[in-house]
Structures are given as C-alpha cells and as structure tokens.
C-alpha cells in the first residue's frame, strides 16, 4: 500500500460532516461539508489512498458514521483505511469485508494488544495501529485518556504482534498548522521496520519533506489541504 512515499488526504467525520479538530479537542473543529463529496474531490485531485476517521466513534467507543464510510467505499476506487470506534475483531472484519483495505486500531489495541494478531491472522496485512501521542505518551478514547506508554516502545511491540503499519499522530500539534515536530516521529520510524504513517501539524510542503526525510512511509494531511495551504498535487510532488 505504501510502495512509495504517500500523501493521504484525511476525511475525518463528526455528526455526518467532515471536520478537522484542533489539538484533538472535541467540538473544536471546522466543518468542511459532506464526507462523500470530500472523498471524491480528493480522488479527482489525484489521491491514491484515503484516510477515514469516525471521530464520533473514537469518542463514543462505537462506530457512528458507518453509513458515510460505506458510501465512500462504494463511491471511490482507491484504497481506503478507516479508524475510529473499531473496538472488536468483529468490527474490523465487517469493515474489511465491506471493502476497506486496512483498519486502524487505537484504543482497542491498547486495551487488548492480541487483537492485532487475531485480526492479522484472519486478514493478512490489514491492521494499522494508531499511536496518538500527547505530552510524550500514547493517549486513547478520542485522545482523552493517558496510557503511560512510550510511542516508540509501543510501536515495536505492535510490530511483533503483526501490525502492518503504525499511524503516529502528534496530538500536541494536530490541526493547528504550526508545523511538524521532527523528534517524535523520528523516534517511532527508527523503532520499527514496518511502515510509519505520520499525522499532525503539517502546514507547509517543507513539513512533508521533513517527514519523508525522517523515514515516514506516508503522511496524512487534513487541515492544510482543506484550508488551501498547498494543493494535493504539489504535496505529492515533494
């Protein structure tokens, strides 16, 4: 899925709308319209992968925007990775059977690490573990609860359990257009051999270059694209 460095547009959904949260805080988001329309727009602009997040699901612990996810999968012809509210192997299986290419596990992977192995054994190369870091520790439940886990150490553990990739989100700069922080993502990329997808803080094309330089396999971009800081085409050309 990440044969070369990929720029992945984010379609984060809350209450049926595309939103981008600031610092992971609920109800801080700017709305950007219909999720299916956004997904189609990014594909038309050249997106080769889409990143979908059910934010309501992340906060509530169950998938809330399932209909929108299904509509997007039916509407586009590029690989789709989905996170938010996936708490069981059954949840993951439903999405993968639907046509989702990879599921993203955050809270579920922290609470039950072996779920990564169980899903991977049923659906090879299908699990991305989301490590969202705030103040240097992994946080869960919609970025509201600390775990005490170090992101780099946790990444190595999930690689051993069969994760196909790690999604590392720097929550401290998420949605703020303040630029990426090299150190946190570099620590994770150096800890594992599997692909690491970076997220959080991207504001300029130089941020994308930095992430590529530190070994990220891909970057998820949200606010910067929706606010027109640069085009997807320009980002993919970095």
């Amino acid at each position: 899925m990440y044969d070369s460095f990929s720029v992945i547009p984010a379609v984060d959904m809350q209450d049926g709308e595309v939103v981008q949260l600031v610092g992971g805080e609920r109800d801080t988001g700017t709305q950007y319209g219909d999720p299916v329309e956004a997904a189609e727009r990014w594909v038309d602009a050249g997106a080769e992968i889409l990143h979908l997040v059910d934010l309501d699901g992340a906060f509530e612990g169950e998938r809330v925007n399932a209909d929108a996810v299904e509509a997007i999968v039916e509407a586009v012809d590029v690989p789709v990775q989905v996170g938010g509210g996936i708490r069981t192997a059954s949840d993951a299986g439903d999405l993968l059977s639907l046509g989702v290419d990879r599921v993203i596990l955050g809270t579920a992977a922290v609470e039950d690490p072996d779920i990564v192995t169980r899903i991977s054994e049923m659906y090879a190369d299908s699990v991305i573990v989301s490590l969202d870091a705030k103040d240097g520790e992994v946080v869960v439940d919609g970025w509201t609860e600390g775990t005490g886990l170090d992101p780099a150490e946790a990444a190595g553990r999930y690689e051993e359990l069969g994760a196909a990739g790690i999604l590392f989100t720097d929550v401290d700069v998420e949605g703020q257009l303040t630029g990426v922080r090299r150190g946190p993502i570099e620590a994770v990329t150096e800890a594992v051999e599997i692909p690491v997808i970076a997220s959080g803080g991207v504001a300029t094309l130089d941020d994308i270059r930095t992430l590529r330089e530190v070994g990220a396999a891909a970057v998820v971009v949200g606010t910067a694209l929706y606010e027109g800081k640069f085009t997807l085409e320009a980002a993919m050309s970095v």
Side-chain angles (χ1 to χ4, degrees):
M1 199 180 209
Y2 313 110
D3 295 331
S4 59
F5 184 79
S6 300
V7 178
I8 310 173
V11 182
D12 296 352
M13 293 165 281
Q14 188 173 39
D15 298 326
E17 295 276 335
V18 176
V19 301
Q20 287 290 296
L21 300 184
V22 177
E25 296 293 333
R26 195 171 190 172
D27 300 323
T28 60
T30 300
Q31 295 184 342
Y32 296 99
D34 179 75
V36 177
E37 292 178 2
E40 291 177 329
R41 183 168 71 250
W42 294 131
V43 172
D44 289 343
E48 297 176 349
I49 306 172
L50 290 177
H51 177 83
L52 313 185
V53 178
D54 184 340
L55 290 171
D56 297 300
F59 287 114
E60 304 298 336
E62 58 183 2
R63 295 171 55 222
V64 177
N65 292 282
D67 290 345
V69 170
E70 183 172 356
I72 290 171
V73 171
E74 291 179 354
V76 302
D77 59 358
V78 300
V80 172
Q81 57 191 40
V82 177
I86 304 170
R87 295 293 194 265
T88 67
S90 177
D91 289 339
D94 289 345
L95 284 164
L96 294 165
S97 297
L98 180 68
V100 168
D101 292 87
R102 285 182 175 167
V103 292
I104 303 167
L105 303 181
T107 300
V110 171
E111 294 180 345
D112 177 16
D114 289 336
I115 193 175
V116 176
T117 303
R118 294 198 301 273
I119 297 171
S120 298
E121 288 175 346
M122 291 187 293
Y123 300 90
D125 199 35
S126 66
V127 178
I128 297 170
V129 173
S130 176
L131 299 176
D132 305 332
K134 180 185 284 188
D135 297 326
E137 71 171 321
V138 175
V139 291
V140 295
D141 289 332
W143 302 334
T144 61
E145 298 291 334
T147 65
L149 295 173
D150 175 80
E153 292 178 4
R157 180 185 185 191
Y158 289 114
E159 180 176 31
E160 293 176 355
L161 289 169
I166 299 294
L167 170 66
F168 176 77
T169 300
D170 191 345
V171 177
D172 292 312
V173 294
E174 171 70 15
Q176 300 182 45
L177 295 176
T178 54
V180 301
R181 300 191 301 173
R182 185 184 186 105
I185 182 63
E186 190 167 28
V188 176
T189 60
E190 291 181 349
V192 296
E193 297 295 327
I194 56 177
V196 175
I197 308 153
S199 178
V202 173
T204 68
L205 295 177
D206 282 341
D207 288 325
I208 293 176
R209 291 188 185 94
T210 295
L211 294 172
R212 187 169 188 169
E213 288 170 2
V214 301
V219 56
V220 173
V221 185
T223 304
L225 286 176
Y226 285 100
E227 290 294 320
K229 299 301 181 182
F230 48 76
T231 66
L232 179 58
E233 181 181 11
M236 294 175 67
S237 300
V238 168

